[in-house]
Coordinates of all heavy atoms in Angstrom, one line a residue:
F3 N 3.8 1.5 -1.3 CA 4.4 1.6 -2.6 C 3.4 2.4 -3.5 O 3.8 3.2 -4.3 CB 4.7 0.2 -3.2 CG 5.2 0.3 -4.6 CD1 6.5 0.7 -4.9 CD2 4.4 -0.1 -5.6 CE1 6.9 0.8 -6.1 CE2 4.8 -0.1 -6.9 CZ 6.1 0.4 -7.2
Y5 N 1.1 4.5 -2.7 CA 1.1 5.8 -2.2 C 2.2 6.7 -2.8 O 2.1 7.7 -3.3 CB 1.0 5.9 -0.7 CG 1.0 7.3 -0.2 CD1 -0.1 8.1 -0.3 CD2 2.1 7.8 0.5 CE1 -0.2 9.4 0.2 CE2 2.1 9.1 1.0 CZ 1.0 9.9 0.8 OH 1.0 11.2 1.3
F6 N 3.5 6.2 -2.6 CA 4.6 6.9 -3.1 C 4.6 7.0 -4.6 O 5.0 8.0 -5.2 CB 5.9 6.2 -2.6 CG 6.2 6.4 -1.2 CD1 6.3 5.4 -0.3 CD2 6.4 7.7 -0.7 CE1 6.5 5.6 1.0 CE2 6.6 7.9 0.6 CZ 6.7 6.9 1.5
E16 N 2.6 17.3 -12.6 CA 2.5 18.7 -12.3 C 3.6 19.5 -12.9 O 3.4 20.5 -13.5 CB 2.4 18.9 -10.8 CG 2.1 20.3 -10.3 CD 1.9 20.4 -8.8 OE1 1.3 19.5 -8.2 OE2 2.5 21.3 -8.3
K20 N 3.4 22.3 -15.8 CA 3.9 23.6 -15.7 C 4.9 23.9 -16.8 O 4.8 25.0 -17.4 CB 4.7 23.7 -14.4 CG 3.8 23.9 -13.2 CD 4.6 24.1 -11.9 CE 3.7 24.2 -10.7 NZ 4.5 24.4 -9.5
L35 N 4.5 39.3 -30.0 CA 5.6 40.2 -30.3 C 5.8 40.5 -31.8 O 6.0 41.6 -32.2 CB 6.9 39.6 -29.7 CG 8.2 40.4 -30.0 CD1 8.2 41.7 -29.1 CD2 9.4 39.6 -29.7
P39 N 3.3 44.9 -34.4 CA 3.5 46.0 -35.3 C 2.5 46.0 -36.5 O 1.9 47.0 -36.8 CB 4.9 45.8 -35.9 CG 5.6 45.0 -34.9 CD 4.6 44.1 -34.3
T56 N -0.1 66.8 -35.9 CA 0.8 67.9 -36.1 C 1.4 67.8 -37.5 O 1.6 66.8 -38.1 CB 1.9 67.8 -35.1 OG1 2.6 66.6 -35.2 CG2 1.4 67.9 -33.7
T57 N 1.5 69.0 -38.1 CA 2.1 69.1 -39.4 C 3.4 69.9 -39.3 O 3.6 70.6 -38.3 CB 1.2 69.8 -40.4 OG1 0.9 71.1 -39.9 CG2 -0.1 69.1 -40.6
A71 N -4.4 79.7 -64.2 CA -3.8 79.4 -65.6 C -2.9 80.6 -66.0 O -2.0 80.3 -66.9 CB -4.9 79.3 -66.6
S72 N -3.0 81.8 -65.5 CA -2.2 82.9 -65.9 C -0.8 82.8 -65.4 O 0.1 83.5 -65.8 CB -2.8 84.2 -65.3 OG -4.1 84.4 -65.9
K76 N 7.6 77.6 -65.9 CA 8.4 76.7 -66.6 C 8.3 75.3 -65.9 O 8.0 75.3 -64.7 CB 9.8 77.2 -66.7 CG 10.0 78.5 -67.4 CD 11.4 79.1 -67.1 CE 11.4 80.5 -67.6 NZ 11.2 81.5 -66.6
Q86 N -2.0 90.5 -54.7 CA -2.4 91.8 -54.3 C -3.7 92.2 -54.8 O -3.9 92.1 -56.0 CB -1.3 92.8 -54.8 CG -1.3 94.2 -54.3 CD -1.0 94.2 -52.8 OE1 -0.3 93.4 -52.3 NE2 -1.5 95.2 -52.1
D88 N -5.4 95.1 -54.5 CA -5.5 96.5 -55.0 C -4.1 96.9 -55.5 O -3.3 96.1 -55.8 CB -6.0 97.4 -53.9 CG -5.3 97.3 -52.6 OD1 -4.4 96.4 -52.5 OD2 -5.6 98.0 -51.6
V104 N 14.1 85.7 -49.5 CA 13.8 84.3 -49.2 C 14.3 83.4 -50.3 O 15.0 82.4 -50.1 CB 12.3 84.0 -48.9 CG1 12.1 82.6 -48.8 CG2 11.9 84.8 -47.7
E123 N -7.9 92.0 -61.1 CA -8.3 92.7 -62.3 C -8.5 94.2 -62.1 O -8.2 95.0 -62.9 CB -9.6 92.1 -62.8 CG -10.2 92.8 -64.1 CD -11.6 92.4 -64.3 OE1 -12.3 92.0 -63.4 OE2 -12.0 92.4 -65.5
L128 N 1.1 99.1 -62.6 CA 2.3 99.6 -61.9 C 2.9 100.7 -62.7 O 2.8 100.8 -63.9 CB 3.3 98.5 -61.8 CG 2.9 97.3 -61.0 CD1 3.9 96.2 -61.1 CD2 2.8 97.7 -59.5
P131 N 8.8 103.1 -62.8 CA 9.9 102.8 -61.9 C 9.6 101.5 -61.1 O 10.5 100.7 -60.8 CB 10.0 104.0 -60.9 CG 9.3 105.1 -61.7 CD 8.3 104.4 -62.6
Q133 N 7.8 98.9 -62.1 CA 8.0 97.8 -63.0 C 9.5 97.5 -63.2 O 9.9 96.3 -63.2 CB 7.4 98.0 -64.4 CG 5.9 97.9 -64.4 CD 5.3 98.2 -65.7 OE1 6.0 98.6 -66.7 NE2 4.0 98.1 -65.9
V141 N 11.1 89.5 -60.9 CA 9.7 89.3 -60.6 C 8.9 89.3 -61.9 O 9.0 90.2 -62.7 CB 9.2 90.3 -59.6 CG1 7.7 90.1 -59.3 CG2 10.0 90.2 -58.3
Y158 N -9.6 84.3 -50.8 CA -8.6 85.1 -50.2 C -8.9 86.6 -50.6 O -8.5 86.9 -51.8 CB -7.2 84.7 -50.5 CG -6.9 83.3 -50.1 CD1 -6.9 82.3 -51.0 CD2 -6.6 83.1 -48.7 CE1 -6.6 81.0 -50.5 CE2 -6.3 81.8 -48.3 CZ -6.3 80.8 -49.2 OH -6.0 79.5 -48.8
F164 N 1.7 83.1 -51.4 CA 1.4 81.7 -51.8 C 2.7 81.0 -52.3 O 3.6 81.7 -52.8 CB 0.4 81.7 -52.9 CG -1.0 82.1 -52.6 CD1 -1.4 83.4 -53.0 CD2 -1.8 81.3 -51.9 CE1 -2.7 83.8 -52.7 CE2 -3.1 81.8 -51.5 CZ -3.5 83.0 -51.9
I165 N 2.7 79.7 -52.1 CA 3.7 78.9 -52.8 C 2.9 78.1 -53.9 O 1.9 77.5 -53.6 CB 4.4 77.9 -51.9 CG1 5.3 78.7 -50.9 CG2 5.2 76.9 -52.7 CD1 6.0 77.9 -49.9
V173 N -0.5 76.1 -53.5 CA -0.4 75.0 -52.6 C -0.5 75.5 -51.1 O -1.3 74.9 -50.4 CB 0.9 74.3 -52.8 CG1 1.1 73.1 -51.8 CG2 1.1 73.8 -54.2
S180 N 3.4 87.1 -42.1 CA 4.2 85.9 -41.7 C 5.7 86.2 -41.8 O 6.2 87.0 -42.5 CB 3.9 84.7 -42.7 OG 2.5 84.4 -42.6
I189 N 9.4 75.9 -48.5 CA 9.9 75.6 -49.9 C 11.1 74.7 -49.9 O 11.3 74.0 -50.8 CB 10.2 77.0 -50.6 CG1 10.2 76.8 -52.1 CG2 11.4 77.6 -50.1 CD1 8.9 76.5 -52.8

Side-chain angles (χ1 to χ4, degrees):
F3 175 73
Y5 177 72
F6 286 121
E16 191 174 311
K20 282 183 180 178
L35 177 72
T56 58
T57 59
S72 300
K76 299 169 190 100
Q86 193 66 29
D88 50 357
V104 172
E123 180 194 26
L128 296 173
Q133 286 180 356
V141 176
Y158 299 101
F164 292 104
I165 292 179
V173 180
S180 299
I189 198 72

